[in-house]
Amino acid sequence: MPSFPTPLDIAAILWFLCLWIGYNLIADSERLKTKSVFGTMQEHRNRWMKQMLNRDLRMLDALILNHLQSGVGLFASTSILAVGGLVASLGATDKAIAVLSALPFIGETTLLEWEVKVLLLILVFIYAFFKFVWSYRLYGFCAILIGAVPGSTNVDAEAERAAQQVAQIGNLAGLHQNRGLRAFYFALAALAWFLHPAALMIATAWVVIVLYRRDFRSRSLRIAGGVG
């Protein structure tokens, strides 16, 4: 049995990291962001803050922010639970390896191989946790900034600048939330490494295709953009 990691394992993990990092950089670039669901939502968020200026009682805006923050909090909790479960699995390595090796199409798994693959998943979920927690805090900042925006009877240039600040912080919160969600997709691809390095490469490419379609070719984008 070849020692771990094999050249194919190294190629697979480099492929995984390059596609994950590369997709984030390309999809979130200023040139392409305006053509994506996220960019369209940014435009709607900017319009939301302009409409917010005309409301004296902004309980609706606070309710929407609370809903967004709750969703991010759920994903942050899920991330840390996943990390805890994966760390616990390292304490039952022998039993896990026995179960994994009994599955069809999977060869004998060494202790080092199992621990490295689990470690990759742990790192992915830790990354997602930090993204979600920071997004959660940014939505909290949005709530504070909305409270500091002057009332609807005093809408001037200063109030418009304050509303734009809220929109910018909200857009940043959405960016980190989006990257955390993408990490979940790539975590599912990382599971394929337990089967075979080639399966990891195929699953990673499949995730990128799915993300691209949902970010740039989905029906929701056409509807949000007013063309569907």
Side-chain angles (χ1 to χ4, degrees):
M1 180 178 178
S3 60
F4 179 84
T6 65
L8 185 57
D9 284 303
I10 296 173
I13 195 62
L14 289 176
W15 173 263
F16 174 82
L17 294 174
C18 287
L19 287 189
W20 183 11
I21 296 171
Y23 184 83
N24 275 330
L25 293 177
I26 294 172
D28 294 336
S29 64
E30 292 299 325
R31 185 172 64 89
L32 289 181
K33 189 168 59 177
T34 55
K35 302 176 182 178
S36 67
V37 172
F38 177 67
T40 303
M41 288 299 103
Q42 280 193 330
E43 295 177 4
H44 284 294
R45 193 179 285 109
N46 293 335
R47 290 177 53 226
W48 168 23
M49 290 303 125
K50 290 179 181 178
Q51 294 296 323
M52 179 267 298
L53 284 172
N54 300 319
R55 288 192 284 269
D56 191 40
L57 296 176
R58 291 161 181 161
M59 296 183 66
L60 173 63
D61 308 290
L63 182 64
I64 296 172
L65 275 176
N66 182 65
H67 173 73
L68 293 172
Q69 197 174 38
S70 298
V72 174
L74 174 63
F75 280 109
S77 300
T78 303
S79 301
I80 204 65
L81 287 173
V83 171
L86 289 167
V87 171
S89 72
L90 293 175
T93 300
D94 294 337
K95 184 179 293 185
I97 289 176
V99 172
L100 186 65
S101 299
L103 296 176
F105 310 113
I106 299 179
E108 183 180 350
T109 303
T110 65
L111 177 63
L112 175 62
E113 186 177 355
W114 167 262
E115 291 178 344
V116 169
K117 292 176 179 179
V118 171
L119 180 60
L120 174 63
L121 284 171
I122 290 174
L123 292 176
V124 172
F125 281 114
I126 288 176
Y127 170 87
F129 173 76
F130 275 99
K131 287 297 179 182
F132 287 130
V133 168
W134 184 234
S135 178
Y136 188 91
R137 291 195 65 191
L138 288 173
Y139 280 125
F141 297 162
C142 282
I144 295 172
L145 291 173
I146 285 178
V149 175
S152 59
T153 57
N154 188 26
V155 177
D156 52 13
E158 181 181 353
E160 291 178 353
R161 283 196 299 270
Q164 185 60 32
Q165 287 177 335
V166 180
Q168 290 174 348
I169 294 295
N171 289 335
L172 191 58
L175 174 64
H176 288 279
Q177 179 183 3
N178 205 28
R179 289 187 172 179
L181 289 171
R182 286 178 190 157
F184 272 43
Y185 281 88
F186 282 98
L188 293 177
L191 286 172
W193 197 13
F194 288 97
L195 300 177
H196 195 273
L200 171 61
M201 300 176 77
I202 294 171
T204 305
W206 175 75
V207 163
V208 170
I209 292 171
V210 170
L211 288 174
Y212 173 78
R213 183 184 177 281
R214 294 185 177 181
D215 283 339
F216 296 97
R217 292 291 184 268
S218 64
R219 184 181 179 188
S220 59
L221 173 60
R222 295 193 298 271
I223 294 173
V227 295

